[in-house]
Amino acid sequence: MKIQAIKIADDGYAVLIKASDFLLLNITLTFLISLHGVSETAVGLAASFLFAVIFLLIGEYSGLYKKYVRQDYSYTALKTLFTFFLSFLIWRILCLQLNSFEGINDTHLNTIIVWQWILLSISCMIFVKCVAIYAIREFLKRNSHVRRIAILGMTKGGIAIEHALRKDIRHQKFEISYFDDRDVSRFGYLSKTQLNGNIDQLVQLAKDGEIDEVYIALPMVAKDRIQKSLRLLSDTMAETYIVPDLYTYDLNVSQIRTIGNVQTFSVFGSPFEGMGAVLKRIEDIIISSVIILLISPVLIAVAIGVKRSSPGPVLFKQDRYGLGGKRIRVWKFRSMGVMENDAIVTQATKNDPRVTKFGAFIRRTSLDELPQFFNVLQGSMSIVGPRPHAVAHNEEYRVLVDKYMLRHKVKPGITGLAQIKGFRGETDTLDKMEMRVKYDLKYIQNWSLLLDLKIIFLTIFKGFVSETAY
């Protein structure tokens, strides 16, 4: 028996807006080259084509073409600016590399043309996107039809789809109602909508043409009830959807993967696969290289301070778990008079006698972690990601904290979401470690290039210094 593949619904908006961006990037540059009286060359066309391809690739992974972005003016403008900035940075690096080859020269794209191209193309892209948003909103406002939506099952999945619908179709006219065969006393979920009846009443309303859409949000174990509901609703004209009961399994990185004709949900997956991994690596190489150049005087000053504060080497290499749970050697400036890298490692505490005076300062200000930028350049770490713990701590907490090892689905980072939320330094209680892991997993679930830049930006202001970093 051949398995029927599930088709992913697409309204075509993303394809149209991508085509619009591609054309605008090429047309605006061609227009400016002609305006300045510069003869068009194959190199010029290739340069604009290359940038347009890079822009579309970066836009796909920055979320520029996602539905929630295209519904909001500010989101659209910010995402477009961010995508353009990152794309332009990569494009210029590639152009500089290509110029080193004999016979290739893009000097006709002088500074004036390039800057005019930047301003004109960004303005055109944002303008077109905002016009599209305005046109869609006006169309929905003028549409007098009210979408009548029924959710079968006042469950976690039902509440989730209600919240998602209220956000997704907020510019349309709609009504949402719940239906469930169970007694009201069994519901422990908060909702803006009250229960309106049972499945039989829902079916009758659908037959009478009073319901346009039905979302079946029953738990997976209620297979018989789901099949009954589908059979009854098949005798109506209401569009019917099944909300997957993902909450039963508490998925962490929810992605749909197609294997042949079979659709699967990843439960313990990683967002850094394919182009995601490439973009993350490019981000790490560029940012770590720039930071190392900027902080080189600080690195020298701290190294001298460590050497003068106590006898021993300047750097301390400690075993940590990296990507996939494999051991890596993490570099730090030595802050203690002893070197601990054994099966049992005691976390530093307040007034710890092992920590030197200078060591206490560089630990409190995170200066001891600066050599880890070389780990990033090497490829064993990332700028942003879950902080790496000592191997001994991993073995201890993987037993105590649920889903602890899932934080190793990505490379460890110098800073992370948990750190800017205040969970850095000593984890003297189990709940602190649980909160750190919670934010680490949240980062993995919601990763994007924009989130990385946001974490880096916030780290500069509140992530480095901590009263709990002993």
Side-chain angles (χ1 to χ4, degrees):
M1 179 181 176
K2 185 178 179 180
I3 299 174
Q4 178 64 42
I6 298 174
K7 295 180 180 179
I8 305 298
D10 186 2
D11 58 8
Y13 178 90
V15 174
L16 289 175
I17 212 69
K18 286 177 185 178
S20 170
D21 287 346
F22 185 85
L23 290 173
L24 285 171
L25 287 168
N26 285 280
I27 291 171
T28 50
L29 182 58
T30 303
F31 168 74
L32 289 170
I33 289 176
S34 301
L35 187 67
H36 284 266
V38 180
S39 59
E40 188 70 59
T41 67
V43 176
L45 292 173
S48 62
F49 181 83
L50 176 63
F51 181 84
V53 171
I54 293 172
F55 184 88
L56 294 182
L57 289 173
I58 299 296
E60 187 66 32
Y61 283 88
S62 67
L64 176 61
Y65 303 109
K66 289 186 176 179
K67 193 171 183 179
Y68 77 92
V69 173
R70 74 192 200 204
Q71 294 178 329
D72 187 274
Y73 293 112
S74 58
Y75 267 136
T76 294
L78 289 173
K79 286 281 188 180
T80 302
L81 289 170
F82 168 73
T83 303
F84 198 99
F85 168 76
L86 197 58
S87 303
F88 184 78
L89 187 63
I90 296 172
W91 178 74
R92 286 308 299 167
I93 292 172
L94 290 175
C95 284
L96 290 173
Q97 293 297 318
L98 290 173
N99 282 340
S100 64
F101 291 97
E102 186 177 352
I104 296 180
N105 194 329
D106 68 346
T107 53
H108 67 284
L109 295 179
N110 58 56
T111 305
I112 295 176
I113 292 179
V114 170
W115 279 107
Q116 287 179 346
W117 181 36
I118 290 173
L119 295 174
L120 182 59
S121 57
I122 287 178
S123 300
C124 288
M125 286 191 293
I126 292 177
F127 175 76
V128 168
K129 289 181 176 65
C130 288
V131 167
I133 293 173
Y134 177 79
I136 292 171
R137 287 188 180 182
E138 284 300 307
F139 173 78
L140 294 174
K141 284 180 181 178
R142 296 175 188 277
N143 188 356
S144 59
H145 178 69
V146 178
R147 287 176 63 176
R148 296 159 299 183
I149 301 170
I151 300 175
L152 178 58
M154 190 171 276
T155 60
K156 288 183 178 180
I159 302 298
I161 194 63
E162 179 198 355
H163 290 171
L165 284 167
R166 289 187 181 279
K167 183 178 181 180
D168 189 60
I169 60 176
R170 62 187 181 278
H171 299 297
Q172 302 180 39
K173 300 172 183 177
F174 66 92
E175 296 174 353
I176 296 179
S177 53
Y178 275 100
F179 295 84
D180 202 311
D181 287 337
R182 297 175 300 167
D183 187 79
V184 179
S185 60
R186 296 181 61 184
F187 304 142
Y189 312 111
L190 295 175
S191 170
K192 297 180 179 180
T193 308
Q194 298 296 319
L195 186 67
N196 280 23
N198 55 32
I199 178 62
D200 293 331
Q201 292 170 304
L202 166 60
V203 171
Q204 189 57 53
L205 287 171
K207 284 183 177 180
D208 294 340
E210 298 296 322
I211 298 292
D212 299 309
E213 300 171 22
V214 177
Y215 291 84
I216 300 176
L218 297 173
M220 195 174 293
V221 293
K223 183 180 68 173
D224 293 338
R225 292 171 60 202
I226 294 174
Q227 289 180 336
K228 176 188 174 183
S229 303
L230 289 172
R231 187 175 65 254
L232 293 172
L233 289 167
S234 67
D235 191 33
T236 74
M237 296 304 295
E239 291 188 41
T240 304
Y241 305 87
I242 294 179
V243 180
D245 184 22
L246 305 182
Y247 300 91
T248 299
Y249 300 100
D250 193 15
L251 303 188
N252 286 278
V253 182
S254 301
Q255 298 173 336
I256 297 177
R257 175 170 297 179
T258 301
I259 305 173
N261 282 334
V262 181
Q263 280 71 32
T264 65
F265 283 98
S266 67
V267 181
F268 305 131
S270 170
F272 305 134
E273 296 179 355
M275 274 302 297
V278 174
L279 291 175
K280 181 72 167 174
R281 185 65 186 136
I282 292 172
E283 171 197 338
D284 286 337
I285 291 173
I286 293 174
I287 296 178
S288 62
S289 299
V290 172
I291 291 177
I292 287 172
L293 288 174
L294 292 175
I295 67 172
S296 53
V298 179
L299 290 172
I300 296 171
V302 175
I304 295 172
V306 171
K307 196 65 179 176
R308 291 176 62 88
S309 64
S310 65
V314 171
L315 295 177
F316 170 50
K317 299 179 183 179
Q318 190 176 45
D319 289 341
R320 302 289 173 98
Y321 279 167
L323 180 65
K326 297 178 181 178
R327 292 198 184 200
I328 60 174
R329 303 301 296 274
V330 173
W331 294 7
K332 298 181 70 173
F333 280 121
R334 182 175 56 82
S335 58
M336 295 184 178
V338 297
M339 306 272 283
E340 291 188 348
N341 194 25
D342 302 319
I344 299 176
V345 177
T346 305
Q347 282 191 349
T349 57
K350 192 172 183 179
N351 301 320
D352 196 314
R354 298 171 298 167
V355 180
T356 64
K357 289 184 178 180
F358 186 74
F361 166 71
I362 62 176
R363 290 174 72 94
R364 188 169 58 253
T365 55
S366 295
L367 291 173
D368 63 324
E369 296 170 357
L370 293 183
Q372 289 170 29
F373 284 106
F374 290 100
N375 282 110
V376 175
L377 207 55
Q378 175 197 26
S380 58
M381 289 183 64
S382 183
I383 296 290
V384 182
R387 285 294 298 148
H389 299 154
V391 171
H393 297 152
N394 276 322
E395 296 303 322
E396 175 186 358
Y397 286 110
R398 70 188 301 175
V399 179
L400 301 175
V401 180
D402 190 31
K403 303 183 184 67
Y404 178 87
M405 291 302 291
L406 295 183
R407 64 199 303 273
H408 300 99
K409 286 289 183 178
V410 300
K411 290 180 183 180
I414 293 177
T415 185
L417 185 61
Q419 281 61 50
I420 64 170
K421 293 294 184 180
F423 294 96
R424 71 174 294 266
E426 183 187 15
T427 51
D428 53 344
T429 61
L430 184 61
D431 64 303
K432 288 182 180 179
M433 181 59 77
E434 288 174 341
M435 289 301 296
R436 180 181 290 186
V437 172
K438 173 186 174 182
Y439 281 112
D440 288 340
L441 296 182
K442 185 175 180 180
Y443 167 75
I444 296 173
Q445 290 172 336
N446 300 283
W447 173 79
S448 69
L449 292 174
L450 189 60
L451 177 60
D452 275 2
L453 293 182
K454 178 181 178 181
I455 291 173
I456 292 170
F457 177 78
L458 292 175
T459 299
I460 296 172
F461 293 98
K462 65 178 183 179
F464 282 121
V465 180
S466 173
E467 297 300 323
T468 61
Y470 306 125

